[in-house]
Amino acid sequence: MAVPASIGVQQADANLSDLRAQSLAIVARAIGVIAYGWFVFIVWPITGGSANLMSWLACTLLVIGASLSYALRRLHVGIAAVVLVVGTLLSIAALIVGMGSPFMAYLFSVPVTVASVLLGPGTAGIVGGVAIILSASLGVGVLGLPIISQEVLLPILTAALTTLCSWLSARSLYTALAWTWNGYERARQQEEASRQRGSELRQALKSLD
């Protein structure tokens, strides 16, 4: 029995959404574990000493982003993924300010990679652009570094290359999925055409009898 095109599309979308939900759950758990370890072994031991508000904020944003995205994954995978990516971006930005280190901007490659896996190549490009802007603005505007310096340029170049590679990887994956779906559609149409011709042939043979 042939599967109608609309049902096939719904099944494909449901399978892709399920894969994204599973990937989101794994990534959210991993980031949550990192956030917990960061809090227990780095922030908490120095709370009576040199821990500042931005360090607390960075850890809190990461925990909230991971927890909220994990809770939302069954309601809407896309929204949950956006929450995770935005929370990670803001957490890294707060970490750069809190630690006063531009080299923390290398961590911007994490949300770019997560966006490419969970949200697609277009969103990965947008997240990469935001990461580059944050890295440059925080390094120059907040930390007071010259724009032409390795502390600013190297994280920017790393974020740009990560964005490019993530975009190409996600684009290749989605292109392969499109080719597979098109092949399935062509096979389904050919099967339906064969069934139609067979039915017409049987009717013609019956009319001859």
Side-chain angles (χ1 to χ4, degrees), residues 49-156:
S50 59
N52 53 44
L53 178 61
M54 296 306 292
S55 296
W56 280 97
L57 181 61
C59 184
T60 302
L61 287 171
L62 194 60
V63 171
I64 292 175
S67 301
L68 190 57
S69 67
Y70 187 81
L72 292 173
R73 75 189 192 283
R74 297 190 183 278
L75 297 177
H76 197 289
V77 178
I79 294 176
V82 169
V83 169
L84 181 62
V85 171
V86 171
T88 307
L89 281 171
L90 295 177
S91 176
I92 295 170
L95 180 64
I96 294 172
V97 177
M99 297 191 67
S101 173
F103 295 109
M104 294 295 104
Y106 288 114
L107 294 174
F108 279 129
S109 60
V110 174
V112 173
T113 305
V114 171
S116 70
V117 172
L118 299 177
L119 295 170
T123 307
I126 295 173
V127 174
V130 172
I132 291 171
I133 293 173
L134 285 174
S135 181
S137 60
L138 291 174
V140 176
V142 177
L143 301 182
L145 299 170
I147 186 64
I148 307 299
S149 63
Q150 65 175 2
E151 291 84 357
V152 176
L153 290 180
L154 286 180
I156 290 176

Side-chain angles (χ1 to χ4, degrees), residues 131-204:
I132 291 171
I133 293 173
L134 285 174
S135 181
S137 60
L138 291 174
V140 176
V142 177
L143 301 182
L145 299 170
I147 186 64
I148 307 299
S149 63
Q150 65 175 2
E151 291 84 357
V152 176
L153 290 180
L154 286 180
I156 290 176
L157 292 176
T158 301
L161 288 174
T162 302
T163 301
L164 178 61
C165 293
S166 298
W167 180 80
L168 289 173
S169 177
R171 179 175 174 271
S172 299
L173 174 60
Y174 278 79
T175 301
L177 288 174
W179 287 347
T180 302
W181 176 249
N182 289 335
Y184 164 78
E185 276 295 297
R186 285 195 298 269
R188 186 188 62 80
Q189 292 171 4
Q190 291 173 0
E191 180 185 2
E192 290 183 352
S194 298
R195 288 176 181 273
Q196 183 65 26
R197 288 194 296 269
S199 177
E200 293 174 354
L201 180 59
R202 285 192 296 271
Q203 290 177 359

Side-chain angles (χ1 to χ4, degrees), residues 23-41:
S23 300
L24 175 63
I26 294 172
V27 173
R29 290 193 196 102
I31 292 179
V33 170
I34 292 172
Y36 179 78
W38 177 14
F39 174 76
V40 170
F41 296 106

